[in-house]
Structure formats: structure tokens, C-alpha cells
Amino acid sequence: MDPGSDLPEEYARVRALTEALAEPLSAEDQTVQSMPDVSPTKWHRAHTTWFFEEFLLAGEDRDYRPFHPDFRYLFNSYYEAVGPRHARTERGLLSRPGVAEIAGYRAYVDEAVNELLACPPERGAEVAILGLNHEQQHQELLLMDIKHVLSVNPLRPAYLSPAGTTEGARPGMPTVSGSASEPVEAQWLEHTGGIIEVGAGSEGFAFDNERPRHPVILAPFELAARPVCCGDWLAFVHDGGYRRPELWLSEGWAAVGREGWTAPLYWAEAEPGWDIFTLTGPRPVDPAEPVCHLSYYEADAFARWAGARLPTEEEWEAVAVSYRPECGFLDPGVLHPRPAGTGAIFFGQVWEWTASAYLPYPRFRPGPGAIGEYNGKFMINQQVLRGGSCATPSGHVRATYRNFFPPAARWPFTGLRLARDPS
Amino acid sequence: MDPGSDLPEEYARVRALTEALAEPLSAEDQTVQSMPDVSPTKWHRAHTTWFFEEFLLAGEDRDYRPFHPDFRYLFNSYYEAVGPRHARTERGLLSRPGVAEIAGYRAYVDEAVNELLACPPERGAEVAILGLNHEQQHQELLLMDIKHVLSVNPLRPAYLSPAGTTEGARPGMPTVSGSASEPVEAQWLEHTGGIIEVGAGSEGFAFDNERPRHPVILAPFELAARPVCCGDWLAFVHDGGYRRPELWLSEGWAAVGREGWTAPLYWAEAEPGWDIFTLTGPRPVDPAEPVCHLSYYEADAFARWAGARLPTEEEWEAVAVSYRPECGFLDPGVLHPRPAGTGAIFFGQVWEWTASAYLPYPRFRPGPGAIGEYNGKFMINQQVLRGGSCATPSGHVRATYRNFFPPAARWPFTGLRLARDPS
Amino acid sequence: MDPGSDLPEEYARVRALTEALAEPLSAEDQTVQSMPDVSPTKWHRAHTTWFFEEFLLAGEDRDYRPFHPDFRYLFNSYYEAVGPRHARTERGLLSRPGVAEIAGYRAYVDEAVNELLACPPERGAEVAILGLNHEQQHQELLLMDIKHVLSVNPLRPAYLSPAGTTEGARPGMPTVSGSASEPVEAQWLEHTGGIIEVGAGSEGFAFDNERPRHPVILAPFELAARPVCCGDWLAFVHDGGYRRPELWLSEGWAAVGREGWTAPLYWAEAEPGWDIFTLTGPRPVDPAEPVCHLSYYEADAFARWAGARLPTEEEWEAVAVSYRPECGFLDPGVLHPRPAGTGAIFFGQVWEWTASAYLPYPRFRPGPGAIGEYNGKFMINQQVLRGGSCATPSGHVRATYRNFFPPAARWPFTGLRLARDPS
Amino acid sequence: MDPGSDLPEEYARVRALTEALAEPLSAEDQTVQSMPDVSPTKWHRAHTTWFFEEFLLAGEDRDYRPFHPDFRYLFNSYYEAVGPRHARTERGLLSRPGVAEIAGYRAYVDEAVNELLACPPERGAEVAILGLNHEQQHQELLLMDIKHVLSVNPLRPAYLSPAGTTEGARPGMPTVSGSASEPVEAQWLEHTGGIIEVGAGSEGFAFDNERPRHPVILAPFELAARPVCCGDWLAFVHDGGYRRPELWLSEGWAAVGREGWTAPLYWAEAEPGWDIFTLTGPRPVDPAEPVCHLSYYEADAFARWAGARLPTEEEWEAVAVSYRPECGFLDPGVLHPRPAGTGAIFFGQVWEWTASAYLPYPRFRPGPGAIGEYNGKFMINQQVLRGGSCATPSGHVRATYRNFFPPAARWPFTGLRLARDPS
């Protein structure tokens, strides 16, 4: 969102969406942490609230009294400057506070924020906008995380009913759909290279890691017009992709052996073919839809198999900047990657692994104080992803947006797009 | 219970108590597994129900149709003969079925069991009685487990309000109390030794591991008239008990170092003295109450420090057989060990570690089929505990009862009683 | 050995045997620790020397000056009363002191001990005898350990050449042999039971854990006249013994799955049949020789499969007391279990797992000071083994001898003998 | 080295140096693997030999007969295309082949290589040169690894005697020296930025990861004229550098807590000040010498503390290209970083962490076949280091050389140099 918009209205919209996303989930669903990377739904609801409490209310409102003295400890995620905090790996051990108390926490903070936003002090609007972008990130995390939680349950329960059925269709909530189809032909977009500028300019909201804007040299390259699709991936699998060490980075090949990977996360062998677990439950893989839930290692191996490579984040941005993202689950109402359209590059169905390590841009400066821990301290051992996914809130991303995950991460909505050097 | 009692009535009573124990707990509380040894409350409610479904209804009622096709997989605990099952360490990853569905499961099975018990087939009564004793064991496990779940929460929430307060006083539910006091003087009961018989006779219900009754030779010995109390334990702590390797078994000393033990589980240093976490929340340690939540290693080290030793299970039984257990939370309404009385040995406040390994009695025969897995296959690397605890259902134990845990276990209601050789 | 014998002569004999056992091994061989349970050969040579230095020389000779100030730290195994020590799991990380320096250490200490033994002070002879028995235990450990070290090497090297070949035949060193044969028929020895006495009397050398002698009641039982042989074990394997959970203790079945056990340690599938790795290298399994290198779990599962059980240590002793052990590698010159003879029970080819947990005898008293740590502090989570093995030094064992290992241990020379209840 | 030099002579020189480096080490020293990253000395001697056997002799000499059929399995490090291999973590479990057999292996291969090099077939010279550069890399690894092996020994043994003493001074072997001194003043070298070319050109030997040469844009920057010295590091330590989370990357701070870092590897608190363990044993830290044995996390935290940053690899190369490396232990005879000189930038005392992730250059092409696994498959989760160290063989490095390690690695000779943006 942009500071130009109506901040209180935007605040209400974003905060309500979080609650709408949690609404189909029972108290039990909201409590489970299925692996260390995952946080319980009710933790996301509380942590995003704490962010406003800690950085907006405690910082800008001297009369504010915290909702509960221990929440600063319980719901601080990783801000060392704020103080000690509950262990990340133990979020699923907390039955209290329960979902009802967390709803009360959200209402309490919303009231105080609304009062503040009626006449925001200096820096307050800026922090509020960061808080809303932060909460949008957690909306996607909430969906990634609950998908994993449900996936480890042998009952294979759905988060939502498939579109077209009545069950689970609630006002204001996304609906979903899916039907098998043929992928569109892969096409290559040519770029002449040269000196280009990348990164966010100084106007408008962007995370600190997108700045400053700076020049880079690019050699001529070609970028695929659509992400790699499940049909492409099936060809890789059938060609022994997961059994040929020459295609893999050494760490990736070790992961294949250790984890027993034979397909993307959430794929399961079925008769015939493969099933895929989605937020609407299991169904057959659709060859036309972008392949999703891949590690960087798999993306990299696929590119090598295809005689291509992953784009750098600068190459990606150089092309993407002229397109509008088509992500956002609110508008299209989809929580699974849709088959790529024809005729136009688009991004926004899956996060696309790039060949670039997640490192600071030249002259990068993190924000002041605890807020400075938001991005900068994670700039090691991660790869940049560009684009945006079917689980990214509408309006949240842009061509300069830098997402990042460790190379082994598969539970985000991760996919890939090929690049190649002109011959 | 005894086959002579009214089985349907007993069934109703035991099943209702499980639900009453779960009643103060939210859906979130019932979902969490705080360590591999712990099972979620809702799992206990479902597993005990599955036990009747699998061994009584499926075995004896040819028209019975299972409630859900996957529950045999989800709620089988460890019966290899029944088939594959959900991993024990992942019980806390299951948000579904939720507490409401499990309540439905219990009602569905109760109806079928009631019908069956109206006119039980051969062997049906026997299995039903085993099922009720099984469920009573899980009532204690449920309390042990939820105590641990709540204890790892930094909010230190209580399962019940302390007695005398109105909150949490529900009909049919235990109440609790506690007030600091002085321990009674320790006294020694003398036993002349000789050839005695131990183990359960063939009449009445007993678990297979209590049989057959058989003779043993005992040398003369003395047994303390009461369990070791917290006051005694404080003296051990102050005398450097946790810092003196000469008092400890080698494995125990390694555990002290690795785990950083300085006191029993649930003790925390406070000003002044020590606090203890109970099912009614934290409060100061009461010197007069039996010390509880100890590993075998700690019990053994204390005995060495005290110039005494732990009794064998046969010594314990030889004395205890003339006493009536005073455990059972229903009647006295207590979920924490009460201070030992005077003038009479009693057992039933804490499970008492014995010096005996958990091994089969001579000519032990496990039950037929899957039921045979109930006890026998655990007869290695565990120690026998005798007695019964404040969390053991009334009427469940007897002098021949053999409880067992690995030496490192601390989350059961474990304590100790000293023995010594006459000089 | 017995205090009546010539102590200096016995000292020379035992110490020389250790060196003879190390002699076929290179400096590299003597350095490796192949798993935490294993110690390097050169560590055994140094630790046994340290035992005399610490408990005999430092205790009894006020003029003694230690060989090296750091060896008390490096070569103390587990004596807390002596002080801190090098981590057991890191013994294989020490290249220094090398084998030459350790030879010098042994010579230095030998000289001082010889001087002392010429006119031993009070208690000195007793400690020296304990030191020699200790060193004999380490002679067997040295052989167990180097067997494991060599077994993990893909080159499958031999410790010794097979008997009959010239290479490796050294004066004073064991030789080895082996040829396939048929097992003798299994026979049962009957025992009427009753009150018997077990344990070592007060005369002669015995470890503290063998005392005091005390009465036990035994029901009538039968004991097999020979250990279980490889031919018997092959029948168990062919009958799916490693694939049938109903035969196994729960912990044992977990180990089968986790470790992938399909046969005893050192067995490997070959064409046809099975090969076995021995101290003279790999060769086919001989059906007639006692099966060896089993965990307690496997022994227990086999007994259940055979419709029998393991004997208790008291049952074993009640029978074995009338036989002479036939172990000891020096005299017969064998480092692998020999096929059982006919007509007489014998023990001494494999350590036989018993059904008894390793616990103190009634009124057990460990020795004074650090020496008291020798046995007592390990009395938990281990099972007693009786007998003696092909790798036990001649003259070291007796019918009352209690060996002990955790149930999962397979690298000792462990086997089993069946018992059963008369019908 | 360069193809222009006399290849047989160069072969003899490099191979002899490896043996000279191993010469002060006993058989025991050469056997130990002190952590998974470390390989035993004798493994290095054999693996470098295997490299010539596999890639030169087996590839180019059809009459060649391998020395031992199992060495292809034992001494293949990570070449998937060659086949299965012995586990890296178990190299220290192999006592055989011993050092003598490995010396024989080296002589056998040397003879065959010498014969081949007398008249090398096409591609043979190229592979031989790669093999020599490979062996030089292992010479440094051998020194890094044995330093770690010796460091974990409580005896703190030295690899070499300090220079000036007679012991250990062998012809052809490095000598060492060290005396405390003051660091030279830190100076900044200015660079105007602009478009520059980096990477190796097509002439002469370079590893594939140094190519192809390509243009990059640099903003103006300043680079320190010398690496950070121990004196600088002491100031960081005294200022609480290891206790202030705001200075650290998140992963780095986690490592500080988990590993208990309070200083570089091999530093130990002493009275007064700090000791450092070197290849000549322990001695006091010298403030003037470059700080060494740091993780990337520590280097990055120091730079942040100093108000500076690490240079990118391109910045580093842009400056270094005009200087000659001053590393190489043969010529100066030093195995520890020497105090930085004055007046000129130099590199070659420590490997300098850069801010650049180890990724392929644009249009990077790995070599054909198994050789292609040399560098490319490690291009993830590692950082580039530039320079060269006191343990790098003379003549081995150049300004375009890209070394790489995971950010947590401390056992290489790693240090850092600061960069900053002009204000």
C-alpha cells in the first residue's frame, strides 16, 4: 500500500483479512506447529498484533498500557533489541493464550491503533505502513504454515472446500478452483543487456532490502515467458531427474538422498500419475499449472537438465519491471497457482528462485533500532526469490520486491522460471 | 474393579470420569504434545475409546461398524498385531479430529458398548474390565501429561483453581488443596524376612505382569513408614546432593550434567526457597508433603546419601500387603501429594521407585494375541514402581500392582521410600 | 589369579600378554576409535598402566614420581573421585602419546611395580591383584575393540592370519582356526530347583559385584547343555525372525527397524549363505559354532521363537558351578568360538545373556574410595552375562562371574543359552 | 604453475613437498580425523595420488594397472561420476592402508606419471597441471587439518619446533617464527569505481571458477591497506564484540550462543591476555599479526563494529590485481601469519572473507566429465575468500583466485580486510 491511501481504512482492511484467513480454522488447527519453520496460526495473529503494540503503540503513545505483560516475551519473533523471547521451536507447545484471548488482544490493540491513526504522530504513519506490510507477509506465512500443518495429518484435511461447492464458501474469503489442462508453449523473451538500474527508488513504500537503487551491467540474456509448469516437471521426473547426481549441486544431492525426495513437496504417487495436496485437499497434478513447493536445489537441477539456468535477480527485475504482477488471492480468489496465460509474461503465481544470493545492495542501510533487524540480519545463506505467489495478498508485491529463503526451503509457494544465454 | 460389580454402571462411571478430567481444558490445551513421552488430552480420550472399539466391539460384535476408517491407524498406540500406526512423536501435530469429533466418537462407541454389555458374549466382560483398567491408567497419564504441557508455558497456567476458590469447582471434578507444614518423623517398620509369596493370585482382576504368585526369600529388612518428604529433599539439596558424583549411578550423574538438574522436576528457585508447579499453579514447596517428580537416578542418589537404599519390589509388597492404599483423587479430591499422616504406613500419594528391574515373574505368560503386547514387551530397561499416586483413580491399585518407567522419567508422580538392612 | 600365586611372576605374565596382543597391530591400528564404545588399542595399553600408577604406586609408594603429569587426565576412564578426565568419545582424536611413548610408559611403571611387589606394603598385594584382573578385562576389550575397528574398514583386514599359515604366527601369540561342521544335538539339563546359594564366598579373588553369597529360591527348570549355534540361528533367520514383531521386546523391535538388523553383527550376506567377519578375516558361517555378537534383544527374541526363555543368572550359576570353564585364548589358542563339544556342558566360548538385570546383590558393598566406582555405579539398564568367551584370558572367569552390558551391545563376544520351565 | 615450465620437474617438486609436509608427523598423527571437515594426513597423501591415477593414468594410459582395486573407492573424495566412495566422516576410522603402504602407492603412481610425462598425450599435460594445483590445495588442507588435530589434544603438541631451535629443522621443510610487535597503522586505499573487468583471462592456468573474465560496475570505495590485526581484534573483544547481538547476522549470533565463541578459534584465555595455538605450539597473541581462524560471521560482525564493511570480491580484485601476493610458506618459511609490513598492500598471509557469495560468473562453464565436479557443484551457501595464506604453497595463488568456505568455517587460515564507502 501507499502512504497516500487512507491509512485507517487500509489498517482495517488488512487486519480483517488476517482474521478472515483464520476463520475456517478450529482452535486445534490454530495451535499446531508441524515443524520448526512453521508457526501456529494463532501465533501469527498475535505476533502481527504485537508488532503494532511494540513498534507503534509503545513507541508513539505514552499512555498505552500493554494488553498482557508476558506477550512481549511470547510474541517477539526475533528482535534482539526488544529483549529475550520464547523459543521459535516451541511455539506449538503453547496452548495458552487460546484463540479467544488472542481475538481479544487483537481488538484491544486495534482500538488503540485506530485512536492513534486518527491523528498519527511523526513517524507513526511510517511505522503503521510497515506494520501493515509486515502483516501481509504473515498472511502468506499463515497460509504456507497451515498448508503444512494439514499436510502432515493422515486424514489429509482441506483448509477450504473446492470452489463451486457450498461448504466453506464464506463472504470475504478466497475461493479456489482447479482443472487439469495443457501448459502453454514455453517462449523466450530477449533482453539486450547493458547497464540498467535495479532496486526501489526513494519514493513510496519498499522494504529496506530493496534499496538503494543502483546500476548493474547485464550481458544479453533470454528469460522464459512463463514459469516452469507441472507438465515440464513430470518430464524431468520421468527422465530420472531425481536420480542423476550430475544435475545437482552437492548439497542438493545430499538432500535428495537424506530426505528421499522424488518429487516436489506435496506430490504423492497415485494411480495413475501424481496427486498433489492443496489447500482444498488432494487432487491430481495439473500439467498446465506452475510447479510449486520446490527447493532451490531442485530448481537449479531442473534448469541444468533443461540446458538453461536460473536468472539472476537483476535479470529478472529488468524484464519484470514492465509487467504488472498478477498475484493476490483476494481479487482472483485462488489459493493455488493457476495455469499460465498466453501472450504475456506475468508473475505472481509462484515465488521464483533466482541465481542470486540474498545480500545487501551497495550502500544498503538498515532502519534504525530494532526495526533494523527486519531484513538485514538474515543476509547470509539464503537465495533471492522474485515474483509473488497465489498466496501473496493482492497489492503487496512489486518488481523490486526481494523475497528470500534458505535453499532447502520447500514449504513456501516456490517455483522457477528459466533463463539462458543467447548462443 | 471386580467382575462382580455391575459392569455397565462401572463402564459409565469410568468413561464419565475421563470426560470430567478433560472438561477444564480448552480445545487448544487438549491438542498440545509438550515432549515425546506426552500425549495430547484428546488423544487419550480417543485412544481409550479405540481400545474398546478394537478389542471389544471389533472382536465380539460382528455387526459393529467402526466410527471412522482411519482411527484404527491414528489411535493405535503400540499394538503391532493390529497393524501400522501413527508415530508416537507426532501426536501433537494432529489438529484433526478435533475435540468435538472425539466427543462424538466416544458417544458412538459408548452406545455400542452399552448394547453389548447388556448381554456380554463370552470373553467380552473380561475384555471390558481390562478396557476400564486401561482407561484408568490413561486418566493418570492424562493428568501427568497435561501437567507437563502447562508447565512448559511461560504463563504457568493452572489446570484447576486451588480449593476454596469458586472458579473451577465443578460437580464431579476433583478439588485441590495445599498448605505448608512440618513432615512427620521418619519411622522404620521392621520385617523379619523369610520365604514369602508375592504377586497376584488367580482370583480377581490383575494385570498379567502381576502374575503368577510365587515365593521369594527375603533377608530381614526395615522399611520407612512414610515416603521421603520435600523437607528431607531440601536437606539433600543443601548438602550438595546434586553436585557430588559419589552419590550417583554413572548414568544418573551424566543426566545431572546434561540436563542441569538441581532439584526435582517442577521445582524452581524462588525468593526465599523453592516454588513448585502444581496442577493448581505455582506455590511454595511444602516440606511435609512427599517429594514428587523424581527420576530413579535421583531416588537412588538420595538413598545413598541417607545411608539407606531403595527397597526391592518384593520387600515393598511384603509390608504393603497389610495396608489399604490411600490414593485415588476422586474420593479425597486431591491432585497433589498430601502430607504423610502419622502412626500408619500408607501408600497412594506418590509412585515409589524400587530397586527392582521390571522383568517377568517366573512362568509369566502374557495374554493371547494383541492384548499380549499390553505389558510384556516393555520388560527391559525399566524399573518397577509400587504404590499409587494422588493422580491414580480411586480403586485402581493394589499391593501387587507393578508400575514401571525408565529410570530417567520424571514427569510421572514419582517419589521414593527408604529401606535399610538391620545392623 | 589367586593371592597364593607368585605375584611378581603373575604380574609379568599378564602385562606381557597385553603387549603380545598389541604386537600384530600397527601404530595406525592402535590409534583408531571406530565408535564411542570402542577404545584405541594404545589407550588400553596406557589405561591399564595408569590403573597401577594411580591405585598402587601413587597410593602405596610415597617416592613414586608419575611418568607424565597429564596422563592422570588422559587415561582415567571413569573415576570421578580421581578427578576430571578426557572425554570417552574423543579417545580416537589423540595421536599423542604414540605407541612408542606408551611402551615407555609401561616399562617405567613396570619397573616401579616390580620394586614395590618385591616387598608389598599392606593392601598393596590386594590392589595389585585387582589391577591384574582389571588388565585381563581390558585384554578382552582390546580384542573386541580392534575387531570392530578392523570390521568397519572396507578392506576387511585380519588381525591374525588363519592358523596353519606361517604369516602372523608369533611365539606367545594366539593362533586361530575354523572349519565348518554340524552342531551337536541340543540337550537339556534338568534342575530340581529349591533354595540354593549364589555368589562368591569370602575366600579368594572375586569382584565386589559377585558378593555377598546369598540364598535364592528357584523353581524347577531346564538348561540347555550348549549355547545356541549358528545353525540354530540360521533357522531363526529363515523363519523370518527379524521380520516378526511378536517375537521382540518393544525396544528391540525399534532397534531392528532403526539399525536394519537382519543377522548378528559381523554377518554379511554372501553367495551362498552368510559370511562372518572374524579376527582372521571373513569366512563362511560355521553352523556348529556358537552364535556370537548378538544384542540382548536378539537373544530374547530367539528364545521366544524357540518356545523357551533365557535363564536367570541364578539358574545359570546353579548349573555352571559344577563345571570348569573352557575359555581362555592362551591355552587353546583360539580367538573365535569353537563348536560345542559333546557330552558335557561347557562355558567359555561366548558370553551368555541372562534374563537378569545387573543389580546389586543383597547387602552389596562396593570397595572404598575411587575403587568403589569399579562396578557399582553401572548397576542400571544393563543385563548380566555369564560364562566367558573365546577372547577371555585363561583363568580369568569363574561360575560366579558377572559380566554386564546394555541390551543393545553387540560388539562383545555375546551369545545365549536357552532355558525352559518343565511342563 | 604454468604450462610453460618443465612439467616433470614441477611434478617432482610438488609431490616432494607433500611428503616433506607429512614428514614431521608420526603414523598415529597421520591417522586421526578430529572433526568431519578434517581429513587425516595419510588420506591427503593418498587422495592426491589417486587424482593422478584416476584422471591422468586411467584416462590417458591404457596399459596402466591400478595399485590397489579398492583405492578408487577409498580415496575418491566427491566425484559422483567416478562412482561410490567411502564416507567422508569416516576417514579417521581407517587404520589401513598405513603410512608405509601409502608411501608405496605414491612411488608407484609417480613412476607411471613420470613415464607418461616424458611424452604426454594430448590433454595429458592439462590434466597433470590441474593435478598439481589440486595437490597444492591439499598441501594447505593438510596443514589446516593437522593443526586442528593437534589442537584438540590436551597435550597441545607442536607440528614443528619454533624457528631458531635445532629440533625439527629439516632440509626442505618450512621453519617458523614469531615475536610480539605493534600493528602498523591502518590506511585506506581509494578506488574510483567504474566499469572494470574481473576474472581470469583465457591464457595460463586458472580454475574454472575464475572464468570467464567479465565486466562489473563498481561504485567508488576504499579498501584497507592491510588485513585486520590481532590488536584490532582485542579491541573488539574488549568492547563486548561477542556479547552484542546488534553487531551480528542472525545465524552468526546463534552460532556464538551455541558454540560459546568468545574469540577466534585457537585463542585461549591466559594470564595475562590471550594465548594462541600455532603449528609450533601455544604462545601469546601478537597484536601486530593478522587475526586468523575466523568465521565469516565474526568477520562481518567486526566490520559492522568498526563502522566499515567487508569488500566484495570484485572490489578486492580491482585493487589486488596490481600487487604481487606474498604468501607461500616455502620461500619465507613461515606457517603463521606474519605481521603486516608498511607502505604497500600485500596479500597472502590470511584468506580474506569477502561480502560475495560463491556463485558462478556469468557464462561459467564447468570442465567436462568428472572434472566438472571440481568447483561448480559447491556454488551454494559459501562465501568467497580472496588472497592466500601463510599455509598456501608459494606460486599457487593469483589476484583472480577464488577460495570458498561455508560462513561457519574457522579452521582455514581465514582473516579479513575492511572496506568502506567514501562519505
Side-chain angles (χ1 to χ4, degrees), chain B residues 190-192 219-222 309 315 419-423, chain C residues 363 365:
Chain B
E190 295 177 17
H191 192 286
T192 59
F221 68 94
E222 297 176 3
R309 60 174 175 82
E315 289 172 335
R420 67 181 182 190
D421 302 314
S423 49
Chain C
R363 297 196 167 226
R365 289 286 174 277

Side-chain angles (χ1 to χ4, degrees), chain A residues 55-182:
Chain A
F55 295 118
L56 183 60
L57 297 175
E60 307 291 336
D61 177 354
R62 61 180 56 183
D63 294 331
Y64 179 73
R65 195 163 150 258
F67 180 75
H68 188 293
D70 290 330
F71 282 12
R72 198 182 201 213
Y73 177 85
L74 283 184
F75 299 120
N76 174 6
S77 52
Y78 55 64
Y79 294 89
E80 299 281 350
V82 170
R85 72 218 72 96
H86 190 242
R88 149 150 225 152
T89 52
E90 300 185 3
R91 289 175 187 164
L93 305 190
L94 301 186
S95 60
R96 322 270 178 98
V99 295
E101 191 175 0
I102 287 172
Y105 180 36
R106 289 184 67 91
Y108 178 89
V109 166
D110 283 351
E111 190 178 321
V113 170
N114 283 330
E115 210 166 301
L116 190 87
L117 291 188
C119 179
E122 200 181 343
R123 239 203 126 221
E126 199 181 323
V127 172
I129 290 168
L130 179 63
L132 292 176
N133 277 277
H134 172 259
E135 184 141 352
Q136 286 184 311
Q137 291 184 316
H138 277 276
Q139 288 166 356
E140 178 157 4
L141 287 167
L142 184 160
L143 289 167
M144 284 159 54
D145 288 357
I146 198 65
K147 184 170 184 176
H148 192 268
V149 165
L150 297 174
S151 78
V152 301
N153 192 319
L155 302 176
R156 312 290 274 172
Y159 168 69
L160 287 184
S161 304
T165 68
T166 48
E167 188 196 343
R170 294 172 185 78
M173 267 303 303
T175 57
V176 290
S177 68
S179 68
S181 51
E182 281 304 299

Side-chain angles (χ1 to χ4, degrees), chain B residues 79 82-83 137 150 220 281 283 302 313 349 360 400 404 407:
Chain B
Y79 295 88
V82 170
Q137 291 184 315
L150 297 173
R283 64 159 171 76
F302 179 92
E313 62 171 324
Q349 293 304 303
T400 61
F404 52 93

Side-chain angles (χ1 to χ4, degrees), chain B residues 15 32 102 149-150 197-198 285 377:
Chain B
R15 296 281 290 170
V32 170
I102 286 171
V149 165
L150 297 173
E197 293 222 315
V198 296
V285 161
K377 74 180 186 182

